[in-house]
Amino acid sequence: MAVKISALILTKNEEDLISDAINQLDFVDEIIVLDQSSQDKTVERARKFTDKIARTTSEDFAKNRNLLASHAKGEWLLYVDCDERLTESLAREIQDAIKNSKFSAYYIPRQNFLLGKWQKHGGWWPDYVPRLIKRKSLIAWQGKVHESPKIEGESGYFKNPLVHLTARSMSRILEKSIKWAKIEAQLYHQSTNPKVTIVRITKGAISEFISRYFLKLGFLDGTIGAISAIYQSLHRAMIFTYLWELQNDAKQKFAKAKSV
């Protein structure tokens, strides 16, 4: 029997979410998990649903999505993260789309839930993401942080949303923000970005808040809209702060001062 859909899941320390993430994929033909050196029971729980589990030490999202594709046998690749949930309507739309599709890939609107609240404004909706791709049309995923696929052919757009249970606690928000801000700062540094100043940090943070809260109507989401805008402005300030560290060799200067 030909493999029509391969579901591809990238994981790292997702023991609380992995079972539900896989269990919802009962309509696909194979499920492949790529684990990024989890320290919890993620792999153990994933094995209850599939024996197709690979390991990697890399945290490069584009590289790992390409690696997942290399393991797949399906005509179509369905990328699903552990914190994403498919509604029954979306599952049906996916199955209907691949029957006689004129498209090489599909973008799915994503409902982002921050701290349990759906963010309808502030630039969070509809947040289209490429999740269903014809395997032969995928050239490669590119980008270290905000990765995107290079695809041969045209793309379509689904109507039914993918539920994204992101930012489930403030601790997780800050943990991820630190990780991503460091990577983004390194990318800026490699591109010989202008020197960071207090004006640039302040301006970047304020501009981000105004954009999210006012221009993109984040205030319509109430308290969570304000929290989200504040977080996004903080993240922007963190990127510039890490970039300042790199530009000024802060770690090396600290090491010298420590040895005095």
Side-chain angles (χ1 to χ4, degrees):
M1 180 177 174
V3 179
K4 197 71 175 178
I5 305 177
S6 296
L8 309 178
I9 304 177
L10 189 61
T11 68
K12 182 172 183 179
N13 297 328
E14 296 287 6
E15 63 180 8
D16 294 333
L17 297 176
I18 186 63
S19 296
D20 288 339
I22 297 178
N23 199 41
Q24 67 179 334
L25 299 169
D26 55 356
F27 64 93
V28 306
D29 301 298
E30 71 170 354
I31 298 172
I32 302 171
V33 173
L34 178 61
D35 185 73
Q36 303 173 107
S37 304
S38 289
Q39 301 299 312
D40 61 4
K41 296 181 180 179
T42 298
V43 174
E44 178 183 334
R45 294 182 179 180
R47 288 194 190 284
K48 295 179 181 179
F49 301 90
T50 179
D51 59 355
K52 297 180 179 180
I53 299 176
R55 303 267 192 138
T56 181
T57 57
S58 174
E59 294 195 358
D60 185 317
F61 288 112
K63 180 179 179 181
N64 288 336
R65 291 200 189 279
N66 288 327
L67 184 56
L68 274 167
S70 71
H71 287 284
K73 297 179 180 179
E75 180 183 345
W76 288 88
L77 308 176
L78 175 61
Y79 287 90
V80 181
D81 290 342
C82 282
D83 59 0
E84 294 175 338
R85 298 291 177 266
L86 286 74
T87 62
E88 291 184 9
S89 297
L90 176 58
R92 287 195 297 270
E93 190 173 13
I94 290 172
Q95 294 173 80
D96 290 341
I98 66 174
K99 289 178 181 177
N100 294 294
S101 179
K102 63 179 180 180
F103 297 111
S104 298
Y106 287 91
Y107 283 74
I108 304 175
R110 191 164 61 169
Q111 287 182 318
N112 291 290
F113 282 78
L114 280 74
L115 303 178
K117 299 288 186 178
W118 176 23
Q119 280 272 260
K120 300 179 184 179
H121 306 90
W124 290 96
W125 172 258
D127 187 29
Y128 281 101
V129 288
R131 284 291 185 266
L132 184 65
I133 305 171
K134 192 173 289 186
R135 182 164 58 90
K136 291 183 179 179
S137 299
L138 176 62
I139 298 173
W141 285 82
Q142 301 172 331
K144 198 167 184 179
V145 181
H146 305 292
E147 75 281 7
S148 61
K150 187 175 182 182
I151 301 165
E152 183 178 2
E154 296 183 11
S155 297
Y157 290 81
F158 283 153
K159 294 181 179 179
N160 292 290
L162 181 68
V163 176
H164 188 205
L165 306 175
T166 187
R168 298 183 296 281
S169 70
M170 186 55 66
S171 296
R172 289 182 67 91
I173 290 175
L174 294 175
E175 182 182 339
K176 287 185 176 182
S177 195
I178 290 172
K179 176 182 174 181
W180 292 336
K182 286 182 178 179
I183 295 174
E184 290 178 83
Q186 290 171 350
L187 294 175
Y188 279 144
H189 189 54
Q190 292 168 5
S191 64
T192 61
N193 211 261
K195 285 290 183 180
V196 173
T197 63
I198 185 61
V199 172
R200 191 176 179 198
I201 295 175
T202 304
K203 183 179 179 181
I206 293 175
S207 296
E208 187 69 22
F209 180 84
I210 291 174
S211 174
R212 295 282 182 173
Y213 193 68
F214 293 107
L215 301 182
K216 295 180 180 179
L217 308 180
F219 64 88
L220 293 177
D221 286 330
T223 302
I224 193 62
I227 292 174
S228 175
I230 291 171
Y231 157 67
Q232 291 294 335
S233 63
L234 174 62
H235 180 74
R236 177 60 53 182
M238 288 172 63
I239 294 172
F240 287 134
T241 302
Y242 282 125
L243 179 57
W244 179 86
E245 280 190 349
L246 293 171
Q247 291 177 342
N248 290 273
D249 296 322
K251 288 184 178 180
Q252 186 175 350
K253 290 178 180 178
F254 173 76
K256 289 182 178 180
K258 187 178 178 181
S259 62
V260 173

